[in-house]
Amino acid sequence: MDEALLRGLTPSVLTVLGRRGADFAAAEDAVQDALVEAVRVWPDDPPRDAKGWLVTVAWRKFLDQTRADTARRRREDRIEEEPAPGPAPGVDDTLQLYFLCAHPSLTPSSAVALTLRAVGGLTTRQIAQAYLVPEATMAQRISRAKRTVSGVRFDRPGDVATVLRVLYLVFNEGYSGDVDLAAEAIRLTRQLAAVIDHPEVAGLLALMLLHHARRASRTAPDGSLVPLAEQDRTRWDTAAIAEGVRILQTALARDRLGEFQAQAAIAALHADAPTAEETDWVQIVEWYDELARLTDSPVVRLNRAVAVGEADGPRAGLAALAGIEDSLPRRTAVEAHLRERDGDLETAARLYAEAAHKAPNLAERDYLTRRAARLNTRGSQ
């Protein structure tokens, strides 16, 4: 064993470890361990590249020690964070977290996005789809929101309107998306309604209950999507519908109409119809007019076009659709539906296929694909 060689290589090995990010003290310890290993191994199995061998072994020793130190610190932190012995109170602070993330230093849209990501558990892609923006845009918005609140104290809760918006989007993602969050959103909205006397809180709770009441009938046993007009209404949860209608009526009686109450009123009209043919589409159009006045949302105008098509015929619906941008999600599917009802089966089939390509989830894609195939089969007969 050439000890002079080992001593001569030590400075250069230390330099390599320093370049890789090891601090000097830790690198020195790692090199000493590697030298001990060399004394043990080299007499029987000398390496061809002494320096390379020392660098590799020293770096492994450094990583092992770093991992061990990190694990030790984590164990110590867990011990320090453990509660004192005794019974622990059953506290659910989820709703409080929603309010704290809706910080006054953030714009409402940024607060909603941050809360959905940090507390609601939604992915950036899911949030972007809810906001109708590209995923990259939403990622930047969330990053800016994180930077904004990184240096502030979370001791000033946000406003109710922002929290309601978050709960609504969480419910929608749980109701129609990949993550089942609908029941959790209803639970938190019930908590909020119990402590805040506000007609829009009640309106949101009513809306959630009325939509959730139809959930069992929204998909077939094979997982395929069942549209509202074809759903088995005997499977609707009548108790949830009755509760939703009761809450809505109490909120509307206060004469402080908001968008969630208007949406709940539309849902109640659907729930009240014994059959799809008996739906009061004229009144639904009137409620969409109120909703459009309150929100000026392109999604509301899109849904209104569907209602107009049912109330006044498909051509009236197409006229209402004309002013809505083609890029709006599900616009193509709505136009396909109205074209089909107007008898233009060739155009409807093409639009259904195009809508299927843009569909946000597999169930919707399969449904639209089947509609296109059905019309193409009819057209070829």
Side-chain angles (χ1 to χ4, degrees):
M1 169 62 63
D2 190 343
E3 295 185 7
L5 171 64
L6 291 176
R7 287 196 299 272
L9 290 174
T10 296
S12 59
V13 174
L14 284 170
T15 300
V16 173
L17 265 63
R19 289 172 181 166
R20 292 187 179 184
D23 63 82
F24 183 78
E28 207 170 34
D29 289 342
V31 171
Q32 289 299 320
D33 289 341
L35 292 174
V36 171
E37 186 74 6
V39 171
R40 187 182 67 83
V41 172
W42 284 14
D44 296 326
D45 186 19
R48 285 194 296 268
D49 180 1
K51 179 182 175 181
W53 189 97
L54 283 174
V55 167
T56 300
V57 174
W59 181 246
R60 288 173 181 167
K61 297 287 186 182
F62 167 75
L63 292 178
D64 289 343
Q65 186 58 46
T66 300
R67 293 190 187 104
D69 290 343
T70 301
R72 175 181 51 77
R73 285 194 296 270
R74 285 175 179 168
R75 289 194 298 270
E76 292 171 351
D77 290 342
R78 283 199 296 269
I79 291 173
E80 290 177 0
E81 293 169 358
E82 285 181 359
V91 177
D92 180 5
D93 59 358
T94 307
L95 190 58
Q96 182 182 5
L97 290 175
Y98 273 69
F99 272 94
L100 292 178
C101 283
H103 198 273
S105 63
L106 297 172
T107 63
S109 61
S110 294
V112 171
L114 177 62
T115 313
L116 289 171
R117 187 73 185 92
V119 187
L122 274 64
T123 66
T124 302
R125 174 174 295 181
Q126 290 168 329
I127 301 169
Q129 289 173 347
Y131 269 90
L132 309 180
V133 298
E135 184 177 353
T137 301
M138 183 52 64
Q140 292 175 355
R141 185 179 301 178
I142 294 172
S143 295
R144 286 195 299 268
K146 289 179 179 178
R147 288 196 297 270
T148 299
V149 301
S150 61
V152 302
R153 289 175 55 85
F154 279 83
D155 56 0
R156 290 188 299 154
D159 65 346
V160 175
T162 300
V163 173
L164 288 179
R165 177 62 53 191
V166 174
L167 290 169
Y168 176 62
L169 291 175
V170 169
F171 175 82
N172 278 345
E173 190 60 45
Y175 191 72
S176 61
D178 300 325
V179 182
D180 188 358
L181 296 168
E184 174 68 358
I186 292 174
R187 184 183 71 83
L188 292 173
T189 307
R190 283 192 187 279
Q191 286 187 7
L192 188 58
V195 296
I196 296 180
D197 183 20
H198 192 291
E200 273 295 82
V201 176
L204 178 58
L205 179 56
L207 175 63
M208 289 179 175
L209 290 170
L210 289 164
H211 277 310
H212 206 57
R214 303 199 301 260
R215 186 169 191 179
S217 63
R218 292 184 73 245
T219 54
D222 62 358
S224 60
L225 190 66
V226 180
L228 177 61
E230 300 172 19
Q231 289 176 15
D232 180 0
R233 299 185 179 220
T234 64
R235 301 184 65 197
W236 290 1
D237 185 342
T238 55
I241 291 172
E243 182 185 5
V245 169
R246 185 179 71 252
I247 293 172
L248 173 63
Q249 289 173 338
T250 302
L252 291 175
R254 301 176 66 173
D255 200 23
R256 290 169 55 193
L257 183 64
E259 62 174 295
F260 293 124
Q261 295 170 75
Q263 288 190 59
I266 294 169
L269 286 168
H270 283 297
D272 187 54
T275 65
E277 293 73 23
E278 296 174 85
T279 303
D280 189 347
W281 286 105
V282 173
Q283 194 173 169
I284 287 175
V285 171
E286 292 174 356
W287 275 112
Y288 271 122
D289 289 339
E290 289 287 347
L291 193 54
R293 180 180 60 80
L294 290 166
T295 67
D296 192 30
S297 163
V299 176
V300 170
R301 289 188 279 115
L302 181 66
N303 290 332
R304 180 185 178 277
V306 175
V308 169
E310 297 292 339
D312 301 324
R315 303 230 171 149
L318 288 167
L321 191 66
I324 300 173
E325 292 186 6
D326 292 342
S327 59
L328 186 69
R330 297 189 173 92
R331 184 200 183 280
T332 305
V334 169
E335 183 176 355
H337 168 72
L338 292 170
R339 295 289 183 189
E340 180 184 1
R341 291 198 58 222
D342 194 40
D344 187 354
L345 303 187
E346 182 179 351
T347 301
R350 176 179 57 79
L351 290 171
Y352 275 131
E354 183 180 334
H357 182 69
K358 302 175 183 177
N361 56 68
L362 183 60
E364 192 169 333
R365 186 184 314 146
D366 288 346
Y367 169 75
L368 292 168
T369 300
R370 287 196 302 272
R371 300 288 292 188
R374 181 178 59 82
L375 292 185
N376 284 325
T377 299
R378 286 174 56 185
S380 62
Q381 291 176 348

